[in-house]
């Protein structure tokens, strides 16, 4: 019976360049799971692969256990790697020898973009030859240079390929080659195809997908993260307006944009009558076409009597987030003869920004009198006019 196994080499000590956490790169997080888990998923879910053997560093057992938890059923217990990659692969092969598998795929954990299609084509190629490896033709022009980086020669790239993993082999052939290399002290192979070549095994090059990249630097990690990120829905801007008026009544302070300001009167209303915050709330609700403040918090409902208006504003912001959107900015103009708004502007902006969970630079607070004209000019109350721009998925 044909059986096919996979060895993932994850014993390296290469720490992700620029990482603060000191994690070996095969355990660094990539698109929500460790780098190792990406190859493990591809290999363990392939219908043609019967067992997966991971070779780990002796100090990484707990990192490994966490990384493989979702895949535990397809896995053999990990084995510890050696000083070199070659030694690590040999130990992985020896751990599988008792099973007498017919084929093995050897793969580096640092290549997370392994696909089932590539695995299929490699296994297929083993019908013809004892070895087949993923590789890419060299696309760049190649130069040889001296110690001072001066070009001495242009190298013909016509027959040149870059070797990658997986590297697939008939199991007995590659195990025998590894054992022989170990016995004969040939320890300098950087991949298994090199060792197979030394042992006289013909190996076929199988063109990989072009996205089978190896993660080496912090830039590689960032690129891989972008490639794996789900395509975000495009956002479009929508604008809403809000207007509110509250009348003065006997009292000693007013609430405006969440700030308590001593004053000769209070504002009358069913809540704390924060007229500016009400206008902003309506502007946000208007931008997402979701009614108005009175529809969500009816003045007739006694539970909102004396309520702090930040409850209304916070609710509007949550409605934006629930719609997959975000608030780009809000801007309010307060119309009154008094109190003076300027001294409180920064506190007001900070309060609104805090409630909306946006940067304070996205909050504008302005004030004007009405030149003694109209109800505002007669000091009968305060009006507020607001705009909001939100970005929502199209
Ligand atoms: Mg109101």
């Amino acid at each position: 019976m044909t059986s096919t196994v996979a060895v993932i080499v994850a014993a390296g000590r290469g720490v992700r360049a620029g990482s603060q956490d000191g994690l070996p790169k095969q355990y660094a997080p990539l698109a929500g799971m460790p780098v190792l888990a990406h190859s493990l998923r591809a290999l363990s879910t392939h219908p043609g692969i019967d067992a997966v053997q991971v070779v780990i560093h002796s100090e990484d057992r707990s990192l490994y256990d966490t990384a493989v938890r979702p895949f535990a059923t397809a896995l053999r217990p990990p084995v510890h790697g050696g000083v070199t990659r070659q030694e690590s692969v040999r130990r992985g092969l020896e751990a599988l020898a008792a099973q007498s598998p017919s084929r093995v795929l050897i793969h580096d954990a640092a290549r997370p973009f392994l696909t089932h299609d590539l695995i299929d084509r490699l296994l297929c190629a083993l019908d013809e030859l004892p070895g087949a490896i993923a590789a890419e033709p060299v696309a760049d022009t190649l130069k040889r240079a001296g110690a001072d980086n001066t070009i001495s020669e242009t190298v013909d790239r016509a027959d040149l390929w870059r070797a990658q993993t997986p590297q697939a082999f008939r199991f007995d052939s590659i195990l025998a080659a590894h054992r022989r290399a170990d016995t004969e002290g040939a320890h300098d192979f950087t991949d298994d195809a090199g060792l197979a070549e030394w042992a006289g095994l013909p190996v076929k090059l199988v063109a990989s997908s072009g996205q089978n990249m190896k993660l080496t630097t912090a830039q590689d990690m960032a690129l891989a993260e972008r490639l794996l990120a789900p395509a975000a829905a495009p956002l479009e801007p929508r604008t809403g307006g809000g207007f509110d008026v509250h009348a003065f009544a006997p009292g000693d302070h007013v609430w405006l944009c969440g700030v308590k300001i001593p004053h000769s009167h209070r504002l009358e209303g069913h809540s704390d009558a924060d007229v500016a915050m009400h206008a902003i709330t309506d502007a946000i609700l208007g931008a997402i076409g979701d009614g108005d403040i009175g529809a969500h918090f009816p003045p007739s409902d006694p539970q909102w009597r004396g309520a702090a208006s930040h409850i209304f504003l916070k609710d509007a912001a949550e409605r934006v987030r629930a719609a997959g959107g975000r608030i780009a900015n809000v801007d309010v103009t307060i119309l009154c003869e008094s109190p003076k708004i300027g001294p409180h502007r920064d506190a007001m902006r900070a309060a609104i920004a805090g409630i909306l969970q946006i940067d304070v630079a996205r909050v504008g607070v302005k004030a004007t009198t009405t030149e003694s004209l109209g109800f505002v000019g007669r000091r009968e109350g305060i009006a507020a006019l607001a705009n909001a721009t939100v970005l929502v998925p199209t």
Side-chain angles (χ1 to χ4, degrees):
M1 193 189 95
T2 301
S3 75
T4 305
V5 293
V7 172
I8 301 180
V9 193
R13 286 286 80 182
V15 170
R16 184 164 47 122
S19 81
Q20 302 299 307
D21 48 28
L23 272 182
K25 66 188 174 192
Q26 61 272 37
Y27 298 105
L30 173 63
M33 58 187 201
V35 167
L36 167 64
H38 289 266
S39 333
L40 203 48
R41 181 170 62 183
L43 289 164
S44 65
T45 60
H46 189 283
I49 293 175
D50 303 298
V52 180
Q53 174 70 60
V54 184
V55 185
I56 67 172
H57 192 281
S58 57
E59 292 167 7
D60 292 346
R61 184 59 197 254
S62 70
L63 287 170
Y64 170 83
D65 286 341
T66 304
V68 307
R69 198 165 291 140
F71 311 99
T73 51
L75 276 177
R76 295 174 48 79
V79 294
H80 292 165
V83 177
T84 62
R85 182 187 181 284
Q86 181 183 336
E87 175 65 8
S88 294
V89 172
R90 193 180 62 76
R91 292 186 186 188
L93 295 172
E94 293 288 4
L96 290 158
Q99 272 190 240
S100 302
S102 58
R103 306 182 295 193
V104 61
L105 282 154
I106 302 166
H107 185 61
D108 288 337
R111 289 189 194 271
F113 289 101
L114 175 59
T115 63
H116 280 190
D117 171 66
L118 183 58
I119 295 169
D120 288 340
R121 288 185 291 124
L122 288 163
L123 293 178
C124 198
L126 284 188
D127 292 344
E128 295 169 46
L129 291 176
I133 69 166
E136 260 191 289
V138 170
D140 298 320
T141 299
L142 297 177
K143 307 291 186 189
R144 194 184 307 281
D148 63 351
N149 282 2
T150 304
I151 294 170
S152 60
E153 186 191 2
T154 296
V155 180
D156 183 9
R157 71 178 183 209
D159 303 324
L160 294 182
W161 294 65
R162 297 190 309 184
Q164 304 176 338
T165 68
Q167 302 197 343
F169 300 95
R170 293 178 192 161
F171 187 86
D172 291 346
S173 307
I174 196 67
L175 177 60
H178 265 278
R179 283 176 174 168
R180 203 184 117 203
D182 189 47
T183 308
E184 297 183 16
H187 293 307
D188 299 327
F189 299 107
T190 53
D191 76 343
D192 302 286
L195 194 146
E197 181 189 340
W198 169 83
L201 296 173
V203 177
K204 189 177 178 72
L205 295 168
V206 172
S208 64
S209 61
Q211 242 184 37
N212 188 32
M213 66 186 283
K214 185 172 188 173
L215 305 185
T216 305
T217 65
Q219 286 77 13
D220 297 338
M221 286 295 294
L223 176 60
E225 195 75 57
R226 284 200 298 279
L227 290 170
L228 290 168
L235 298 177
E236 68 177 18
R238 297 198 190 149
T239 301
F243 177 69
D244 197 23
V245 175
H246 282 259
F248 282 130
D252 61 5
H253 69 272
V254 293
W255 284 96
L256 289 171
C257 288
V259 176
K260 186 179 178 180
I261 302 171
H263 193 53
S264 55
H265 293 77
R266 66 177 171 88
L267 288 171
E268 197 162 51
H270 77 293
S271 65
D272 62 12
D274 189 330
V275 61
M277 205 180 283
H278 294 178
I280 297 170
T281 304
D282 265 359
I284 293 169
L285 291 171
I288 56 171
D290 191 359
D292 61 18
I293 199 169
H296 300 302
F297 301 94
S300 55
D301 187 336
Q303 70 169 307
W304 308 122
R305 189 181 310 280
S309 295
H310 66 77
I311 295 169
F312 312 150
L313 186 61
K314 201 169 175 175
D315 173 75
E318 275 161 14
R319 287 169 187 273
V320 172
R321 283 192 286 274
R326 60 176 192 264
I327 296 166
N329 82 301
V330 297
D331 179 33
V332 64
T333 303
I334 300 167
L335 294 82
C336 60
E337 300 295 328
S338 67
K340 287 204 177 310
I341 302 303
H344 305 288
R345 186 196 315 274
D346 288 341
M348 291 176 171
R349 293 176 68 216
I352 298 295
I355 295 162
L356 295 177
Q357 294 176 30
I358 60 176
D359 191 272
V360 72
R362 297 177 184 274
V363 180
V365 173
K366 315 191 300 297
T368 184
T369 69
T370 59
E371 302 292 341
S372 300
L373 297 172
F375 70 87
V376 168
R378 293 189 298 272
R379 299 171 183 262
E380 292 168 6
I382 297 181
L385 197 57
N387 289 90
T389 301
V390 304
L391 300 171
V392 292
T394 53

